[in-house]
Amino acid sequence: MKVAIASGKGGTGKTTVAVNLALALEEVQLFDCDVEEPNCNLFLGFELEPLEAVTCLVPEIDPERCALCGNCASFCKFNALAALPNKILSFPSLCHGCGGCSFVCPAGAIDEKPRSIGLIEKNSSDSSLTFFRGVLNVGEAMATPVIRALQRHIDESRHAIIDSPPGTACPVLAVLGCADYCVLVTESTPFGFHDFLLALEAARIFQVPVGVVLNRDGLGDSRVEEFCRAEGIPILLRIPNDRMIARFYSEGVPFVKEMSGWKEKFKVMFEMIRAQACKNMGVS
Ligand code: SF4
Ligand code: SF4
């Protein structure tokens, strides 16, 4: 089973939930798909080894063969090519590697060359937790191919916890598209509620069953709770606005390791997830 941990915005405690859940379970895989800011290992402290360089195919134009027809630039919806009267300019960082420009080129003037956009890493030390993370190169905009490369490492015979990027853009949709269940981490504040609704809408596109973790419970109001009750969305776990939890977080320590009872609470949460996901898949 693949469980995505998502939130409509950053800073809601998504990574805390992903790491603590993974540490509470046995023999699971944790994937840090927040490739622009992969923070899980700040809490895990694993030695990491490079596993795979992620590349994107970008066009290289042969000026000798190019007839300056402009077909390639007109085709590119990402503005990665611009036709000038005497040459075609290319902006590789905007290229999505779709290959369309070389397809429409009548002169066979376009070659596709790999360009490095990121890296996949894995923990090298022995642990019951297998950890993978994707790291997008600095200044690079193309997060989705790195996430897809990470997803190819999922061992389907074991449970996978996937720390999703924040927001509701393409990289998040890439994670939700492969998930069997989505945990939405939110706070019950006006902004939290707004972002929660956006994330819920994204999960519903893929018809992924959803449950909620209320972080910093006790702050704000009851609007998330009332909404969930009305919509039949389970509150899987409440993490209180607790000084001890905040202190462990600021020290980079997963609180399931230090605070008694929390491992059990995360395990119970996982059982609720499993039951709901199985029901959704029609598995008993
Ligand atoms: S490969 Fe696709 S995205 Fe990249 S320049 Fe060509 S048409 Fe544009
Ligand atoms: S489509 Fe081919 S021939 Fe036309 S401008 Fe682009 S590279 Fe040149």
Side-chain angles (χ1 to χ4, degrees), residues 230-248:
E231 293 281 320
I233 299 169
I235 306 281
L236 301 165
L237 187 69
R238 294 164 192 274
I239 303 176
N241 184 40
D242 179 286
R243 280 181 59 189
M244 188 90 92
I245 290 177
R247 206 192 81 210
F248 283 128

Side-chain angles (χ1 to χ4, degrees), residues 74-93:
S74 314
F75 180 87
C76 183
K77 297 291 172 279
F78 303 103
N79 299 319
L81 296 170
L84 300 186
N86 58 348
K87 73 186 285 197
I88 302 294
L89 284 183
S90 97
F91 306 96
S93 63

